[in-house]
Amino acid sequence: MIEVVRPGPLTTVQDLGRPGLAALGVGRSGAADRRSAALANRLVGNLDGAAVLETTFGGLVLRFRQVARVVVTGAPCPIRRGSRGEAMNAPFTVWPGEELTLGAPTSGLRTYLAVRGGIGVDKVLESRSTDLLAGLGPAALSEGDVLPIGTDECGPLPSVEVAPVPDPAGFALTVRVMPGPRDDWFTPEALKTFSTATYEVTSESNRVGVRLTGPALERSREGELLSEGMVPGAIQVPPSGLPLVFLADHPVTGGYPVIGVVLTDDLPVMAQARPGQTVSFRLVPADLPAAA
Amino acid sequence: MNIRRCGDQALLVDVGDTGGIDAVLGLYSALSDPRPDGVTELVPAARTLLVRFDPAVIGAGELAELLAGTEPVPAQAMRGELVEIPVYYDGADLAEVGKHTGLGADGVVEMHTAAEYTVAFGGFAPGFGYLTGLHPKLHLPRRATPRTHVPAGAVAIAGEFTGIYPRSSPGGWQLVGRTEVPLWDPARRPPALLRPGTRIRFREVR
């Protein structure tokens, strides 16, 4: 068992989420930075679907009631086990009675903690993820919560001592974007602005999406789009003209035109973007044969 | 039918106004049981079907060809399960809807219970279904100011749709009644009572 001494600003349990249920109004959810979560699981020998803790801006203090093999990945932060320091991306053992403290990250936003065996909270619709928008899964952690360590099937412990991972970029971020599906709702100037301007991440951002401020993107047509299905990475442009990039807990459908979609490989960069950081979008060609 | 790229792992099929909701549902039915290999998610909406895929299994071009060659299930062949929903017609907006449409409260109830509806798509909340089949006389705009709290089970109308709030939430639809039928239960398989293609009738209870 793991006791939550302090949850920090926001800590949730996350796994790979709930794929395949969007037609029932259930989004996928899951870890916002899936790459860091997957790395954490690998480093303690968990399978990909094991649940980890996702903590935003650090400040998490846990007390372990049993021995556990753990690792911390994602946004790099000071790690204290009892009175000792530990390193990022390097598995270590926590002994019963010890406190583990994750401090504020020096870059990036979301830090992941994996425990061998997984976090063993009950599943809702086959997943342990907290979907903050849909209100599914376990509540965000609060002080005094006790989390069971799971008994998920594990692989062998890897022999890696430290995984070589670059830290999230400290300042100017660039992500690749495939235009569409509704880039034709925007003026040519807006598309040019979108691919050349620099946007700043605002503090309104959360697991639903990253809100940006910068030059407004002008539409080329009036009227409302009927709601349509959304994906993580979709860049919606509401009437304000300021883009919003969807993350893990995005709504299943949305009614504002999507000018482009961040490539899946670059989504972890968006998930680690912190308020005040700048983002620019580099367009990559949509490789679909023109018309079908 | 127009197929658009939606990032590196999804395509958006737009059936346009001529196809409408029937064409979306027809395509959704044709693709959902079983889903083609590599298709991970189907999201029907008013004029579009979003198809998410795993690029390790199927390429975007190959999937686009498959979608273009898929014959939608015709509307009359798509008769999903029929669910009857008992409704107390005592919604906070019923009198106003009666006045606005000139039907009176009783007339609204009569018209709302006379039709058979079909779940076209979901999306607003887990278990919520946008139901088509609403009589054009009941097509009304949303409330100018949404309510901050609509109770679970509220039966409501807005635009060309009617629907039931699966849980309490903010909402801007016109409330005409309420039901005690549980619409969403994560422990049930499937968890949603109303799924795309499900047919619905409302029955008045007092």
Side-chain angles (χ1 to χ4, degrees):
Chain A
M1 297 290 227
I2 306 171
E3 187 186 328
V4 179
V5 180
R6 281 212 314 273
L10 176 68
T11 303
T12 58
V13 178
Q14 297 295 340
D15 57 16
L16 295 174
R18 303 179 180 86
L21 298 174
L24 307 183
V26 176
R28 190 173 66 172
S29 188
D33 172 356
R34 291 166 89 88
R35 193 181 294 148
S36 296
L39 174 67
N41 273 328
R42 276 203 300 279
L43 288 174
V44 291
N46 285 344
L47 301 184
D48 279 352
V52 301
L53 295 182
E54 175 183 288
T55 186
T56 306
F57 254 130
L60 174 67
V61 184
L62 304 171
R63 186 179 297 118
F64 284 67
R65 295 185 183 168
Q66 70 194 83
V67 63
R69 188 76 178 160
V70 308
V71 70
V72 181
T73 66
C77 65
I79 306 165
R80 244 186 29 243
R81 173 175 63 82
S83 54
R84 278 190 54 131
E86 296 286 354
M88 295 289 300
N89 307 308
F92 57 95
T93 299
V94 186
W95 299 96
E98 279 189 325
E99 269 190 11
L100 182 66
T101 303
L102 306 187
T106 47
S107 69
L109 185 64
R110 296 184 167 93
T111 302
Y112 292 84
L113 174 84
V115 180
R116 182 169 169 85
I119 301 293
V121 296
D122 289 343
K123 289 184 178 180
V124 176
L125 298 175
E126 321 298 331
S127 163
R128 300 186 168 97
S129 288
T130 300
D131 183 335
L132 293 171
L133 186 77
L136 286 177
L141 300 195
S142 41
E143 192 183 319
D145 285 354
V146 176
L147 305 169
I149 294 179
T151 51
D152 288 8
E153 186 190 340
C154 291
L157 275 173
S159 54
V160 191
E161 280 177 20
V162 182
V165 189
D167 285 346
F171 196 62
L173 306 172
T174 303
V175 293
R176 293 166 298 166
V177 171
M178 204 177 272
R182 300 295 177 187
D183 47 331
D184 53 345
W185 277 58
F186 297 89
T187 63
E189 298 76 49
L191 288 166
K192 184 148 198 295
T193 304
F194 174 67
S195 60
T196 53
T198 300
Y199 287 89
E200 189 181 315
V201 176
T202 75
S203 57
E204 325 286 81
S205 306
N206 52 30
R207 280 181 48 84
V208 174
V210 179
R211 286 179 186 275
L212 300 169
T213 180
L217 302 171
E218 202 189 331
R219 287 189 197 172
S220 59
R221 57 172 91 178
E222 295 297 311
E224 288 302 308
L225 183 71
L226 289 164
S227 285
E228 56 193 28
M230 291 286 141
V231 294
I235 305 171
Q236 250 201 354
V237 184
S240 68
L242 297 178
L244 156 70
V245 186
F246 279 142
L247 295 182
D249 289 356
H250 68 84
V252 170
T253 57
Y256 298 129
V258 169
I259 191 170
V261 180
V262 176
L263 297 194
T264 306
D265 274 352
D266 290 359
L267 267 178
V269 177
M270 287 311 305
Q272 292 292 359
R274 55 204 269 178
Q277 268 190 299
T278 62
V279 182
S280 41
F281 299 111
R282 190 157 65 76
L283 293 185
V284 300
D287 57 353
L288 191 67
Chain B
M1 182 159 111
N2 179 348
I3 299 177
R4 294 160 180 259
R5 199 75 216 242
C6 186
D8 55 1
Q9 299 194 356
L11 297 176
L12 186 72
V13 184
D14 191 333
V15 303
D17 287 340
T18 44
I21 287 167
D22 283 348
V24 175
L25 264 181
L27 201 55
Y28 171 75
S29 300
L31 292 167
S32 48
D33 194 21
R35 283 185 206 149
D37 282 348
V39 170
T40 56
E41 191 100 63
L42 295 165
V43 193
R47 298 289 180 273
T48 56
L49 179 69
L50 176 76
V51 184
R52 292 178 70 178
F53 64 95
D54 177 354
V57 182
I58 190 167
E62 198 187 335
L63 179 60
E65 267 175 46
L66 187 153
L67 294 174
T70 299
E71 213 41 64
V73 176
Q76 55 276 23
M78 219 168 26
R79 315 259 308 157
E81 177 196 4
L82 179 67
V83 175
E84 192 185 75
I85 309 269
V87 178
Y88 299 93
Y89 281 94
D90 56 4
D93 299 319
L94 182 64
E96 190 56 39
V97 171
K99 206 180 297 172
H100 201 92
T101 55
L103 295 165
D106 290 348
V108 171
V109 175
E110 200 174 311
M111 199 167 263
H112 196 253
T113 50
E116 182 180 294
Y117 303 91
T118 304
V119 180
F121 54 93
F124 161 72
F128 185 83
Y130 290 83
L131 311 187
T132 57
L134 186 67
H135 194 288
K137 275 195 180 160
L138 292 177
H139 292 191
L140 292 180
R142 289 154 183 254
R143 289 168 51 83
T145 315
R147 288 189 170 85
T148 53
H149 177 85
V150 173
V155 177
I157 58 178
E160 57 184 297
F161 300 109
T162 184
I164 312 165
Y165 285 82
R167 58 172 188 205
S168 67
S169 69
W173 289 28
Q174 313 271 0
L175 309 184
V176 297
R178 71 193 151 87
T179 181
E180 288 164 356
V181 172
L183 293 162
W184 176 256
D185 177 0
R188 188 169 59 193
R189 290 291 173 276
L193 180 65
L194 310 184
R195 305 179 291 281
T198 306
R199 295 175 299 135
I200 283 125
R201 271 185 175 280
F202 294 107
R203 177 170 56 84
E204 185 181 19
V205 287
R206 290 171 190 273

